[in-house]
Amino acid sequence: MKSKVLYSNAHASAKINRLDKVRSLFQRSGFNEFLSRGDRVAVKVHWGEYGNVGFIPPPFVRVVVDEIRKSGALPYVTDTNTLYTGMRRNAVQNLEAAAMNGYTQLTLNAPLVVADGLIGRDFREIEVEKGWVNTAKIASGILDADAMIVLSHVKGHMLFGFGGALKNLGMGCATPAGKQILHSDVRPKVDPERCTADSICIDRCPVGCITLIDHAESRKIARIDSDRCIGCAECTAACPHQAIPINWRSSAEALQKKTADYAWASLAGKRKKVGFINFIIQVTPDCDCCDWNDIAFVPDLGFLASSDPVAIDAASLDLVLQTPPIPGSRADKTQGDDIWRKVNDVDYRIIIEHAQYLGLGSGEYQIVKIG
């Protein structure tokens, strides 16, 4: 059976602006119907690393918060601590990064909560049926919510191929220890021909497992200690020379399937009280976890809403696939027909297929255009 996905394009006018469109999507998706007075509602977002400006702008989140409040429910905006180097590794700096990006109680009309606590140890383990993992470490601030609205920025990703609702759920609701389990199969290696020994990867590594060693021709290259590597892929994202590739086939399969497991676990106790909105705007090549963002590789396409996280991601993928790349973007500089693979050469369908196998939703969808 096809899942319904509501779609509103990115065009705006004096009669209806983009905030109006998101408000209409929320209302027409019936999300308010599963919200009750007094419900604690987690608004799951990714408020971005400071330096990146491609994340969902706060006014969109405010619109959703205000709609939730109309039902008498109690919304809070939330994300978790990270595994990688950056401002968001503990709740204090995480909230500082959020504020620097415009996410505050004043701008959102809701408190901000770091769902896994001060240093990422506030969690419970959820058993996963049919999964690659037996249990998932999910933040208590997600599990203790009565309902959840998941707001996801659609963009590229060096390990997933793309990021949407499923990644926002699976990786985004995991504790740092859970994120390390998800990344445990990722093992990057240095390509000596491309390495320039500029030490950027060394500065980005959160566990200090990269050093410079002597190489042939009297020059140095970086070396990664695989025994100490936690698989966060920070070095891969940071290297401007593409000198740290990953074994994409095995790494991507394991990472994506385990992330789907975590996405399934994050919905424990409220599977019928979750709504999803995907923002296909500023579709940048890399994750909002980076402290930079390149230009978008397709024009802004609009907004999708659904109660099915698999369907909304499948629809988002297909809308981008049908769109010509922006001239001068990363997608315009490489060969091939699949725009996602042009940006990051990863099989991005793995997470969709495994999430469907777990019963998270359906990859078959029907788009309903509402403007």
Side-chain angles (χ1 to χ4, degrees):
M1 181 177 178
K2 293 183 178 180
S3 294
K4 184 168 68 173
V5 179
L6 273 60
Y7 172 54
S8 183
N9 64 40
H11 292 284
S13 68
K15 293 183 178 180
I16 180 169
N17 62 37
R18 288 185 172 187
L19 300 182
D20 295 328
K21 290 195 165 194
V22 172
R23 184 180 297 110
S24 179
L25 273 176
F26 186 99
Q27 294 169 347
R28 295 184 62 172
S29 295
F31 295 160
N32 58 332
E33 295 175 9
F34 60 69
L35 298 177
S36 302
R37 179 170 295 276
D39 274 356
R40 295 168 301 234
V41 183
V43 181
K44 175 63 181 73
V45 301
H46 185 322
W47 48 62
E49 192 70 34
Y50 183 67
N52 188 309
V53 294
F55 52 85
I56 299 172
F60 287 116
V61 183
R62 173 66 180 259
V63 164
V64 172
V65 165
D66 289 345
E67 287 301 311
I68 293 171
R69 287 196 179 279
K70 290 179 181 179
S71 66
L74 305 173
Y76 61 96
V77 178
T78 190
D79 199 4
T80 56
N81 292 303
T82 63
L83 178 65
Y84 58 82
T85 299
M87 285 191 68
R88 300 188 305 122
R89 294 193 74 185
N90 63 76
V92 176
Q93 290 178 294
N94 206 341
L95 292 173
E96 287 178 349
M100 292 169 76
N101 285 341
Y103 278 71
T104 68
Q105 183 159 350
L106 179 63
T107 59
L108 302 176
N109 192 27
L112 277 72
V113 175
V114 178
D116 54 345
L118 182 61
I119 54 175
R121 294 180 181 173
D122 189 358
F123 70 94
R124 296 199 297 278
E125 296 201 39
I126 303 297
E127 292 187 9
V128 181
E129 302 172 7
K130 305 190 301 184
W132 272 46
V133 299
N134 294 323
T135 60
K137 301 177 189 295
I138 303 298
S140 297
I142 297 296
L143 295 176
D144 290 338
D146 301 302
M148 182 159 56
I149 303 297
V150 182
L151 308 182
S152 304
H153 175 215
V154 175
K155 67 279 184 187
H157 194 278
M158 64 278 193
L159 292 177
F160 290 84
F162 89 106
L166 291 170
K167 180 181 178 295
N168 193 8
L169 274 180
M171 190 68 70
C173 295
T175 66
K179 291 178 172 72
Q180 185 167 344
I181 291 170
L182 295 177
H183 284 90
S184 62
D185 294 279
V186 177
R187 286 295 177 266
K189 293 183 178 180
V190 176
D191 181 346
E193 299 303 317
R194 292 189 174 189
C195 181
T196 66
D198 57 15
S199 298
I200 293 175
C201 57
I202 295 176
D203 295 336
R204 300 290 298 198
C205 180
V207 294
C209 73
I210 308 177
T211 56
L212 293 180
I213 63 171
D214 292 326
H215 188 61
E217 301 175 358
S218 301
R219 67 185 185 93
K220 291 183 178 294
I221 63 167
R223 176 185 176 275
I224 300 172
D225 185 342
S226 59
D227 291 333
R228 296 171 57 201
C229 176
I230 61 173
C232 68
E234 271 288 286
C235 55
T236 298
C239 180
H241 318 293
Q242 298 181 318
I244 311 180
I246 289 173
N247 183 347
W248 298 115
R249 181 172 299 175
S250 61
S251 298
E253 179 182 16
L255 174 67
Q256 291 190 44
K257 287 186 175 181
K258 288 190 290 185
T259 300
D261 292 344
Y262 267 65
W264 183 91
S266 71
L267 303 184
K270 51 180 170 288
R271 297 190 186 279
K272 294 184 179 180
K273 299 189 69 170
V274 184
F276 302 88
I277 301 178
N278 276 11
F279 292 74
I280 315 180
I281 56 176
Q282 296 194 70
V283 186
T284 55
D286 299 304
C287 183
D288 296 343
C289 293
C290 300
D291 58 6
W292 75 89
N293 61 280
D294 197 3
I295 65 169
F297 58 89
V298 292
D300 289 355
L301 299 180
F303 317 96
L304 298 175
S306 180
S307 59
D308 184 333
V310 182
I312 198 171
D313 272 2
S316 300
L317 281 169
D318 290 344
L319 283 171
V320 173
L321 281 170
Q322 297 161 12
T323 305
I326 291 175
S329 70
R330 189 188 298 181
D332 188 47
K333 297 176 182 178
T334 54
Q335 300 297 315
D337 297 325
D338 187 326
I339 195 168
W340 290 106
R341 298 295 290 260
K342 284 158 68 78
V343 174
N344 292 291
D345 190 14
V346 183
D347 184 355
Y348 52 83
R349 294 283 181 181
I350 297 172
I351 193 170
I352 296 283
E353 294 166 357
H354 190 62
Q356 187 170 245
Y357 164 76
L358 293 171
L360 262 173
S362 172
E364 299 292 322
Y365 61 88
Q366 175 190 3
I367 283 189
V368 179
K369 296 182 179 180
I370 67 168

